Amino acid sequence: MSNQSATPLSSPLRDSRVTARVGSWLGGAVLICFLTGLVSHLHQHPISWIPIPPDPAWGFRLTQGLHVASGIATVPLVLVKLFSVYPRLLTWPPVRSVPHALERLSIAVLVGAMLFEIVTGLLNVAELYPWTFFFPRAHYAMAWVLMGSVLLHLAVKAPLIRDALRRRLDDPVDVSGHTEVGGENGDSMPAASREGSLTRRGLLVSTAGAVGAVTVVTVGQTVPSLSGLAVLAPRRPDVGPQGFPVNRTARAARVMVTAADEAWRLVVVGRSPQSLSLPALMSLPQNEVDLPIACVEGWSASVRWSGVRLSRLLELAGLDPSGGVRVHSLEQKGLYRSSRLTHDQAVHPDTLLALTASGEPLALDHGYPARLISPNRPGVLQTKWLGLIEPA
Ligand SMILES: Nc1nc2c(c(=O)[nH]1)N[C@H]1C(S)=C(S)[C@@H](COP(=O)(O)O)O[C@H]1N2
Ligand SMILES: [Mo]
């Protein structure tokens, strides 16, 4: 019997040494994805005793870039890991004992949660929402289910994983003590020496290559020097009015008329309330900053903005920012029509009421006549088409 006739289910690639190595990479990616996801959640659902500082300005750009990149990297890793174990997931009878049933249930939860996170995350990157639940809430809740089942899995499999990682990949004896059968007479042969078949090492190298490939074709959505390679990323960071993408257009936000109206005023609530026209705002001292728009969907772009420091407007209106500041859009509906700044964000010298981008008046789709731009905040909190500023 030649090696060729070996059934796929007993492939030497399906070996705990492969599973454990791919599993440890997957574990690393999941951990990065989870921690950076927590950062994103904390930005959008602040906890007063864990304030997120306005510095470094690129903080969210980095953590969200890592979140989406590590999430995408899990796709080849999950596929290879499932490939390496799936015959064991299909064993008959499916349940042999109570502990066995519990083990299988925990794996079902683990795989289910993992697939849910990948699918919803990827669809969100593509701005597709073919479901009725609220994506951030479901994605966040399931992340905890996933982390719980990963920890349980690690605890249950710890001895096996330790053993499998210690064993050499090209050793022909698998963990269970069976020698790989190279011929009918029981010759053993290292998998690495088999002609024409993928070795375990080869599979791991290909897996690493696949991770590299999916990263290279997507990470250009946030790494400018790679933007030309971002063929699988839905957004290029340099494509759009004024050289960067638009998230929600003025038409979608139904502000086409109100934002372009000459009667537009920015109202700032305070001891001496202000109602400022665009020329009035332009006659105030203007400041210039380079700050990124970093969308939770994974794209980001660095833009040069100019406008009036928010702190100056607060002073002018006598608005005390100690309890935070809330900015409101002209938009009547929509989840992101208003946002809150902490005291530190509100008074940061780089936090602007931006009136220009890339040296031109804001495009209507980028928030004309005035938008918020503030360091180290997710794109969803950089509110466009502002109409009102008040104490939070
Ligand atoms: N009023 C309002 N502002 C908004 C949004 C919105 O839906 N409504 N979307 C936000 C999101 S999700 C992002 S990523 C940024 C993108 O800004 P841009 O469209 O100018 O690139 O705008 C933010 N500002
Ligand atoms: Mo966004």
Side-chain angles (χ1 to χ4, degrees):
M1 190 171 73
S2 78
N3 178 48
Q4 251 65 30
S5 62
T7 64
L9 291 186
S10 63
S11 160
L13 298 175
R14 294 212 175 80
D15 182 295
S16 57
R17 285 166 290 180
V18 169
T19 312
R21 282 168 175 78
V22 174
S24 61
W25 302 347
L26 179 58
V30 167
L31 186 64
I32 293 174
C33 206
F34 179 71
L35 294 176
T36 51
L38 286 188
V39 171
S40 180
H41 186 83
L42 208 51
H43 272 283
Q44 296 175 68
H45 305 270
I47 300 176
S48 58
W49 48 272
I50 325 179
I52 297 192
D55 295 299
W58 41 263
F60 184 76
R61 183 180 202 179
L62 178 71
T63 57
Q64 194 63 10
L66 279 173
H67 182 70
V68 174
S70 58
I72 290 174
T74 64
V75 174
L77 295 172
V78 165
L79 292 177
V80 175
K81 190 161 193 266
L82 284 176
F83 160 83
S84 76
V85 297
Y86 85 86
R88 271 185 279 146
L89 300 180
L90 304 177
T91 51
W92 204 260
V95 170
R96 290 193 299 268
S97 60
V98 172
H100 184 234
L102 287 176
E103 198 229 337
R104 307 220 70 180
L105 181 67
S106 76
I107 291 189
V109 173
L110 173 64
V111 174
M114 187 75 222
L115 295 181
F116 180 88
E117 291 300 82
I118 289 177
V119 170
T120 54
L122 287 179
L123 288 170
N124 184 60
V125 167
E127 293 191 289
L128 296 171
Y129 304 95
W131 48 63
T132 51
F133 53 78
F134 181 43
F135 163 77
R137 193 175 299 146
H139 196 69
Y140 176 70
M142 198 60 91
W144 288 97
V145 175
L146 177 59
M147 276 325 274
S149 47
V150 167
L151 290 178
L152 183 65
H153 188 65
L154 284 175
V156 170
K157 303 281 181 189
L160 187 72
I161 296 169
R162 209 175 303 126
D163 192 63
L165 289 179
R166 236 186 258 138
R167 298 183 66 80
R168 286 167 47 85
L169 272 179
D170 36 22
D171 188 334
V173 182
D174 76 14
V175 147
S176 51
H178 298 305
T179 300
E180 277 164 15
V181 178
E184 214 159 35
N185 52 6
D187 294 346
S188 77
M189 195 190 290
S193 70
R194 288 179 172 169
E195 238 174 85
S197 63
L198 187 60
T199 62
R200 285 184 285 266
R201 195 174 300 282
L203 176 61
L204 290 181
V205 170
S206 316
T207 305
V211 169
V214 295
T215 305
V216 160
V217 296
T218 50
V219 82
Q221 64 182 330
T222 182
V223 178
S225 56
L226 293 176
S227 86
L229 297 172
V231 289
L232 279 192
R235 307 290 190 118
R236 297 279 184 93
D238 46 4
V239 174
Q242 301 177 306
F244 63 106
V246 168
N247 182 276
R248 190 166 164 83
T249 62
R251 183 176 299 279
R254 299 172 179 269
V255 296
M256 298 281 279
V257 174
T258 47
D261 191 342
E262 273 188 21
W264 174 85
R265 296 289 181 274
L266 177 73
V267 173
V268 189
V269 176
R271 282 189 314 277
S272 43
Q274 303 288 314
S275 174
L276 300 153
S277 66
L278 185 54
L281 286 166
M282 288 191 308
S283 68
L284 293 171
Q286 305 289 301
N287 288 81
E288 217 175 50
V289 295
D290 282 308
L291 284 179
I293 288 271
C295 180
V296 294
E297 288 151 22
W299 62 268
S300 69
S302 190
V303 179
R304 168 151 298 189
W305 312 89
S306 77
V308 185
R309 278 195 177 132
L310 184 63
S311 59
R312 185 177 292 272
L313 289 173
L314 303 180
E315 277 164 29
L316 205 62
L319 190 165
D320 173 10
S322 56
V325 172
R326 185 163 280 281
V327 297
H328 295 271
S329 172
L330 301 172
E331 206 183 335
Q332 298 294 307
K333 285 190 188 132
L335 286 170
Y336 306 119
R337 67 183 189 276
S338 107
S339 70
R340 183 183 184 276
L341 296 104
T342 62
H343 167 266
D344 291 359
Q345 290 172 334
V347 301
H348 193 281
D350 287 349
T351 296
L352 297 189
L353 177 85
L355 306 175
T356 82
S358 317
E360 302 159 12
L362 282 177
L364 194 53
D365 283 342
H366 283 312
Y368 177 91
R371 78 174 299 162
L372 179 79
I373 191 76
S374 178
N376 192 20
R377 274 162 68 90
V380 288
L381 302 181
Q382 311 282 28
T383 314
K384 306 195 276 192
W385 314 292
L386 292 188
L388 174 71
I389 300 178
E390 60 176 8

